Amino acid sequence: MAAPGRVVLLACGCFNPITNMHLRLFELARDHLEKTGLYKVIEGIISPAHNKYGKKGLVPSTDRIAMAQLALSTSDWVRVDSWESEQKGWLETAVVARHLKRQVQNKYGSVMDSETDGPSRKRRKTQHNVNNIDENAGSSTTVASGDVQLKLLCGADLLESFAVPNLWRDEHIKELVSDFGLVVISRAGSNPEKFIYESDVLSKYKNNIHLVTEWIQNEISATKIRRSLRRKESIRYLVPDPVINYINEHQLYQPETETS
């Protein structure tokens, strides 16, 4: 019997602030994948968005990263990666996924890594981009037996956002579902199966989309947390205590500064 394929789970987003539900997504995804007997989840990565993402009420990435690190202080398998937030500007999810895919394959071992054919593109080097990653070229890494797979962990709302006009590039949607794969945690009232059925691209690669149902419904969201903070309401047991202490100490999400 073949050994389970190694998987790293990647969650991208604002994490403004990180909540217990964000952490819970990783546990649900790992349980689901490992119960199939086909996968062994070896690491989880949280990649907070760049400050220039442009969302109202977004606190600096240094604060969001610090809060995420505090929230994960008791985790022995999920970590924070700051590369995305340290670039010159906002990056699309597919670009971040390509970078981290190569990072984890270098870390855990990869069999093959081939570049795409086609016109050359400008490459940008930074101290965090030591592998000379082409942030614009498509991903063509060949996944062979023993390679580590990077899968995007998300909620059903992200899956449904693929249908929002001009929000995602078509080629990026295809790349994320075909070259990486999705692990989608459903929320109350969502119907990811129907959405996949109605999308030609998602239907084509549906075997690379893992749907996980959260039977213990939990509607914690960062938006609701910020609303509670604006109203001076308790967020205890919704957000890790060290994160709450950080928010209070640095006076984040105050009524006079928080706009959404």
Side-chain angles (χ1 to χ4, degrees), residues 210-222:
H210 302 268
L211 301 179
V212 185
T213 300
E214 166 59 297
W215 294 108
I216 304 174
Q217 293 296 339
N218 190 333
E219 292 303 301
I220 299 173
S221 73

Side-chain angles (χ1 to χ4, degrees), residues 150-153 175-183 208-210:
L150 183 75
K151 293 186 180 294
L152 185 65
L153 173 61
E175 179 182 349
L176 288 171
V177 295
S178 64
D179 294 357
F180 295 94
L182 308 179
V183 182
N208 213 20
I209 303 174
H210 302 268

Side-chain angles (χ1 to χ4, degrees), residues 9 24-41 77 151 153 182-185 207-215:
L9 296 170
R24 182 68 184 148
L25 295 181
F26 281 92
E27 298 295 328
L28 291 167
R30 181 171 68 168
D31 283 350
H32 175 85
L33 291 176
E34 293 191 347
K35 281 181 179 179
T36 68
L38 301 176
Y39 303 102
K40 174 65 177 177
V41 177
W77 69 282
K151 293 186 180 294
L153 173 61
L182 308 179
V183 182
V184 182
I185 311 297
N207 290 338
N208 213 20
I209 303 174
H210 302 268
L211 301 179
V212 185
T213 300
E214 166 59 297
W215 294 108

Side-chain angles (χ1 to χ4, degrees), residues 98-163:
R98 289 176 209 146
H99 168 78
L100 290 173
K101 180 176 183 177
R102 298 197 186 199
Q103 181 193 96
V104 299
Q105 288 184 336
N106 286 338
K107 179 178 180 179
Y108 294 108
S110 173
V111 179
M112 297 179 65
D113 186 15
S114 58
E115 295 292 328
T116 56
D117 294 327
S120 61
R121 312 246 185 156
K122 183 177 180 181
R123 295 171 183 242
R124 178 172 63 186
K125 289 184 179 180
T126 70
Q127 63 179 353
H128 301 285
N129 197 7
V130 295
N131 295 315
N132 199 30
I133 297 166
D134 187 339
E135 295 176 351
N136 295 305
S139 171
S140 64
T141 303
T142 301
V143 178
S145 177
D147 276 3
V148 177
Q149 300 178 55
L150 183 75
K151 293 186 180 294
L152 185 65
L153 173 61
C154 62
D157 50 348
L158 185 141
L159 185 72
E160 293 171 1
S161 75
F162 287 162

